[in-house]
Amino acid sequence: MATFKGNPITLVGPTLNKGDQAPDFVINKSLVEEVSLKDFAGKVKLISVVPSIDTGVCDAQTRRFNEEAANLGDNVIILTVSVDTPFAQSRWCGAAGVEKVVMLSDFKNHSFGEAYGVYIKEFGLDMRSIFVIDANDTIQYVEYLGEMTEHPNYEAAINAVKALV
């Protein structure tokens, strides 16, 4: 069960597990440019999902993975997914000095949120979660946060990536 400040929320989509094939998605890199899982083929992917980049935990989570990106090598890509518009994501990255993670927006059709089981029906946001996907698009690590306002286990996610490179 997922909650926001202790109150139940409804997540739409499947619960994914280690060993599952990563579902494809169509998501915005800019207002007009869309990307899918295939655009990151052959790389280890750490997907950090945040409800909104303009909140404290989401800000800290994105900054932390941006710092970690420098130590993970060229075969790893870190994607941050939120439903913020690409304009808001770009503004935040510029102000925060975040340059190593790829920001992706699920604002148009919630394709990512629904495919990965993190779309919050009540808020139209994606639930905080982490997915580590290997170069063959198999999920190797999943963390669905039970409480929307909590931090993920950064060390476990980074260790899962390091085990694949």
Side-chain angles (χ1 to χ4, degrees), residues 47-127:
I47 303 177
S48 170
V49 184
V50 298
S52 176
I53 199 66
D54 286 314
T55 65
V57 177
C58 298
D59 177 291
Q61 181 174 330
T62 305
R63 287 176 190 264
R64 173 71 184 270
F65 286 126
N66 185 66
E67 291 170 12
E68 296 285 353
N71 304 318
L72 297 175
D74 293 337
N75 194 39
V76 176
I77 188 158
I78 298 179
L79 310 172
T80 295
V81 173
S82 76
V83 296
D84 298 297
T85 65
F87 298 121
Q89 290 176 336
S90 179
R91 175 197 46 78
W92 181 88
C93 285
V98 168
E99 300 173 339
K100 292 180 174 65
V101 300
V102 176
M103 300 296 290
L104 298 174
S105 177
D106 201 22
F107 83 107
K108 275 190 183 177
N109 60 20
H110 308 291
S111 169
F112 180 89
E114 291 178 0
Y116 283 70
V118 297
Y119 179 69
I120 305 169
K121 181 179 177 182
E122 291 83 357
F123 301 143
L125 300 172
D126 288 345
M127 180 68 170

Side-chain angles (χ1 to χ4, degrees), residues 1 9 15 55 90 93 98 101 103 110 131 133 138 140 158 160:
M1 173 187 271
I9 54 177
T15 299
T55 65
S90 179
C93 285
V98 168
V101 300
M103 300 296 290
H110 308 291
F131 301 89
I133 302 168
T138 300
Q140 297 298 328
I158 294 301

